[in-house]
């Protein structure tokens, strides 16, 4: 249906829109449902069960202004088996994402990589 199909006055009062109470109820539950689905999808992408690990990854990406696609691709290509590999992996992910391999942003990534390894290991 188009606005002209009902005439201007009918469109706003008797058109295809949901009543105000129904839209308010749908909007009220949307955020919680969205967060639940987003969290499940991020945990699936990262291969971890811990929601905190997924949130920390996204926080690091945002704070470091990292390239999401390149960082995620580099992370997906890693095989983490020991702490030595985690250090090298953090460097590889940072470089791929266009982030400096020193400083607080890199330290946060390195700490996250250890938690990530524990979650997928």
């Amino acid at each position: 249906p188009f606005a002209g199909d009902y005439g201007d006055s009918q469109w706003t009062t008797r058109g295809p829109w949901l009543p105000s109470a129904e839209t308010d109820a749908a909007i009220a539950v949307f955020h919680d449902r969205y967060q639940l689905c987003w969290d499940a999808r991020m945990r699936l992408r990262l291969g971890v069960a811990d929601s905190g690990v997924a949130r920390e990854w996204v926080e690091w990406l945002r704070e470091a202004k990292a390239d999401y696609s390149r960082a995620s691709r580099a992370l997906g290509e890693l095989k983490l088996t020991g702490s030595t590999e985690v250090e090298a992996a953090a460097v590889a992910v940072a470089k791929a994402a266009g982030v400096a391999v020193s400083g607080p942003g890199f330290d946060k990534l390195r700490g996250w990589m250890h938690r990530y390894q524990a979650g997928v290991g």
Side-chain angles (χ1 to χ4, degrees):
F2 296 96
D5 293 346
Y6 297 101
D8 290 340
S9 64
Q10 292 178 342
W11 180 255
T12 57
T13 58
R14 293 186 300 261
W17 303 108
L18 289 172
S20 202
E22 288 181 43
T23 41
D24 291 345
I27 290 170
V29 297
F30 175 80
H31 180 72
D32 292 338
R33 286 184 185 168
Y34 177 84
Q35 289 295 38
L36 183 69
C37 293
W38 180 91
D39 180 66
R41 183 66 185 157
M42 285 305 294
R43 286 185 290 115
L44 180 65
R45 282 182 181 170
L46 293 172
V48 297
D50 183 2
S51 296
V53 172
R55 279 192 302 274
E56 286 178 40
W57 171 247
V58 174
E59 286 172 14
W60 176 77
L61 289 167
R62 187 178 304 119
E63 290 172 9
K65 296 180 175 57
D67 183 300
Y68 176 87
S69 298
R70 291 174 54 198
S72 295
R73 170 90 186 236
L75 183 64
E77 293 176 351
L78 297 176
K79 292 184 179 156
L80 302 175
T81 56
S83 61
T84 304
E85 286 94 6
V86 169
E87 297 297 319
V91 170
V93 170
K95 284 182 176 180
V99 175
V101 293
S102 62
F106 180 72
D107 292 340
K108 185 171 184 173
L109 172 63
R110 186 176 21 210
W112 179 85
M113 293 288 288
H114 284 282
R115 288 185 293 285
Y116 175 70
Q117 180 195 29
V120 297

